[in-house]
Amino acid sequence: MDSLVPIALFGWIAVSIGWFAALDVRRGILASLILGWLFLPVANVPMVGFPDYNKVTATAMGVLVGMVLWGTGELARVRPRWADLPIFVLWLSAGASSLVNGQSAYDALSSMLDQLLTWVVPYLAGRVFFRRGRDLHLLASAIVVGGLIYLPLCAYEIRMSPQLHEMVYGYYPHAFDQAWRGGGWRPSVFMDHGLMVGLWMSMAALLGIGLWRGRALPGRPLGVPLWLLVVPLIVIAVMCRSLGATVLLGVGVLAIFEARWLGTRLSLWVLLVGPSIYVLCRILGWVTGEDLVVVAALVDEERALSLDYRLFMENLVLDICREKPLLGWSSWGFDPPETEDGEKMKIVIDSYWMVIFLRFGAVGVAAQLALAAIPTWLMLRRRPRLQFRDPRTVPYGLLVLVLSLFMVDSMVNAMFNPTFVMVAGAVVGAATDAPAD
């Protein structure tokens, strides 16, 4: 591991303090979380007695220190609501799972600390500091800016192959053969995988489209017409060669079109209930995916083989999960099955909801799904005239849409991003605490 890796990861807390000192608390949160996620290395530094230290914990620690030092007053004024229950269940399920699996109280507390930094801190940042219309506008705009920052870096790797992480930190963090897709390079920049970059760029492009067409970004940012910034975002998002992220971008655009021109929100309701229905069907075994393999074989035999292997792994993991369906195997207790040669089988989990199901059982999965479903339902219920035309309500609708699409992506990919957890907290805060704009 290059010596720059621990320097960057451990030094990010000091950098975050600098952001908070130079900016207001909201912009400090955005700079610390988003810039850290965009540029910190993909690495795990073992910590004796604690969870591994990585970019998730580094960005969360930076945000937490900044909120405590500069946002204590606002933290003290916010009171828990019933809509906050999912995040607390997800957090507490980590400790409960460890205890019911015979782990020590120390292991339970360590698992809860990991979930505190992964889920609770970014959610709390959104819940407390991004509750009003102008705050949601700032949050949506920050994600677009994050996409614009990554735009030239993605363009470089699309042309030259994913090299930036190795050039800066001395190694490539993933299997390099997965970077070639569809006759070209798929950028990964400083994220775990090209799929994560593809989703980030697609959501940034979607927010850019929505803010542009909703006239929620007046003037000429950076001195140029807004469309000159949005169009390159769309192009690079598609050129990231992540089919799922591109499809989600298209679905998001259709949802905006439906809300703007038809005045309905059917797409948002489908996105709200769709993930829960899919997860339920997979857990109960009603959907095995075999038909999808047959269809994929008609299009591309190689993709069909890849899908078949993925579904094989998913079904294997589901069988293991059903042995302890309520609270799972905990963060520490899962033991992979053995092969015919007596060696431990390498388990590959491509869906984030299955990671939660394996570790924290149905309780954890229900909390994860509710984390997106409840904020979306609250916002739709609170604003019956939610539109994508009015600049005052555009950020609400767009962030609800992005949150729903992120949850859909979590059904098929394990590409966690704390920015979207912060979006969940922001939407809950706006729906339960802030007055209607």
Side-chain angles (χ1 to χ4, degrees):
M1 182 182 296
D2 192 285
S3 60
L4 182 59
V5 171
I7 293 175
L9 288 174
F10 289 102
W12 190 251
I13 297 178
V15 173
S16 298
I17 293 175
W19 289 123
F20 280 92
L23 307 169
D24 61 78
V25 64
R26 288 166 178 78
R27 287 174 174 81
I29 290 171
L30 294 173
S32 180
L33 183 64
I34 294 178
L35 292 179
W37 194 255
L38 294 183
F39 290 104
L40 286 178
V42 179
N44 287 307
V45 180
M47 301 286 290
V48 178
F50 293 93
D52 290 348
Y53 191 81
N54 49 41
K55 70 193 303 179
V56 174
T57 50
T59 53
M61 287 292 290
V63 169
L64 181 59
V65 170
M67 289 193 301
V68 171
L69 293 179
W70 279 274
T72 305
E74 290 187 75
L75 285 170
R77 285 194 295 270
V78 173
R79 296 292 180 267
R81 305 279 187 148
W82 70 268
D84 298 312
L85 187 61
I87 196 67
F88 290 107
V89 171
L90 187 58
W91 177 42
L92 295 174
S93 67
S97 180
S98 293
L99 294 177
V100 300
N101 278 282
Q103 308 291 333
S104 67
Y106 185 87
D107 291 325
L109 291 174
S110 181
S111 183
M112 290 178 64
L113 175 62
D114 184 39
Q115 294 305 300
L116 175 73
L117 296 174
T118 302
W119 289 92
V120 179
V121 170
Y123 178 90
L124 185 65
R127 176 71 172 80
V128 175
F129 296 98
F130 296 91
R131 294 180 295 142
R132 296 182 177 272
R134 60 179 180 273
D135 303 328
L136 295 183
H137 186 284
L138 178 63
L139 175 55
S141 301
I143 296 175
V144 176
V145 171
L148 291 172
I149 291 172
Y150 248 34
L151 195 152
L153 305 181
C154 288
Y156 174 83
E157 291 200 338
I158 289 170
R159 177 65 180 87
M160 304 301 294
S161 80
Q163 298 291 335
L164 292 172
H165 198 285
E166 184 168 5
M167 291 166 61
V168 175
Y169 295 113
Y171 63 96
Y172 183 71
H174 204 76
F176 196 77
D177 59 344
Q178 295 188 17
W180 183 263
R181 282 292 184 273
W185 294 110
R186 181 162 63 184
S188 56
V189 198
F190 299 104
M191 292 192 183
D192 290 47
H193 196 279
L195 293 174
M196 186 179 291
V197 175
L199 181 65
W200 175 258
M201 296 304 293
S202 291
M203 295 302 98
L206 180 63
L207 288 170
I209 293 170
L211 293 173
W212 169 38
R213 298 309 300 165
R215 302 183 185 277
L217 285 178
R220 298 161 65 92
L222 302 179
V224 299
L226 186 57
W227 68 270
L228 284 178
L229 301 176
V230 174
V231 171
L233 271 178
I234 299 171
V235 172
I236 291 297
V238 174
M239 292 182 68
C240 283
R241 291 180 170 83
S242 175
L243 178 60
T246 303
V247 170
L248 291 179
L249 173 59
V251 171
V253 171
L254 288 176
I256 293 174
F257 173 83
E258 177 196 3
R260 279 178 56 85
W261 299 106
L262 301 181
T264 60
R265 295 164 293 159
L266 178 61
S267 298
L268 288 173
W269 283 107
V270 171
L271 291 171
L272 169 65
V273 301
S276 297
I277 294 175
Y278 172 78
V279 167
L280 181 63
C281 290
R282 288 292 280 138
I283 291 176
L284 296 178
W286 295 347
V287 175
T288 63
E290 295 178 358
D291 294 337
L292 293 176
V293 177
V294 174
V295 173
L298 299 175
V299 179
D300 189 323
E301 188 67 29
E302 183 178 351
R303 287 293 180 90
L305 291 174
S306 176
L307 179 61
D308 185 53
Y309 175 77
R310 176 178 180 143
L311 290 171
F312 167 77
M313 278 293 172
E314 284 192 358
N315 291 328
L316 175 64
V317 172
L318 282 173
D319 289 338
I320 296 172
C321 291
R322 293 185 185 110
E323 296 178 24
K324 296 185 177 182
L326 187 60
L327 287 170
W329 292 80
S330 84
S331 298
W332 328 103
F334 171 62
D335 190 21
E338 295 183 353
T339 64
E340 296 180 355
D341 299 329
E343 297 180 356
K344 295 295 183 181
M345 181 179 293
K346 182 180 180 180
I347 300 295
V348 179
I349 307 177
D350 290 314
S351 306
Y352 199 78
W353 76 271
M354 282 195 173
V355 174
I356 299 296
F357 191 28
L358 182 64
R359 292 179 178 178
F360 312 130
V363 173
V365 171
Q368 181 201 11
L369 291 168
L371 193 66
I374 289 178
T376 305
W377 178 77
L378 280 173
M379 188 61 72
L380 289 170
R381 182 172 177 268
R382 175 179 170 84
R383 298 179 179 277
R385 296 184 179 182
L386 177 67
Q387 298 291 333
F388 289 82
R389 287 177 176 269
D390 189 341
R392 295 172 299 176
T393 59
V394 160
Y396 291 89
L398 290 177
L399 290 174
V400 165
L401 179 58
V402 164
L403 177 61
S404 299
L405 293 173
F406 170 68
M407 186 54 62
V408 171
D409 184 77
S410 297
M411 298 300 100
V412 294
N413 292 314
M415 297 298 145
F416 176 81
N417 190 321
T419 307
F420 300 116
V421 181
M422 183 166 60
V423 168
V427 174
V428 167
T432 59
D433 287 350
D437 292 327

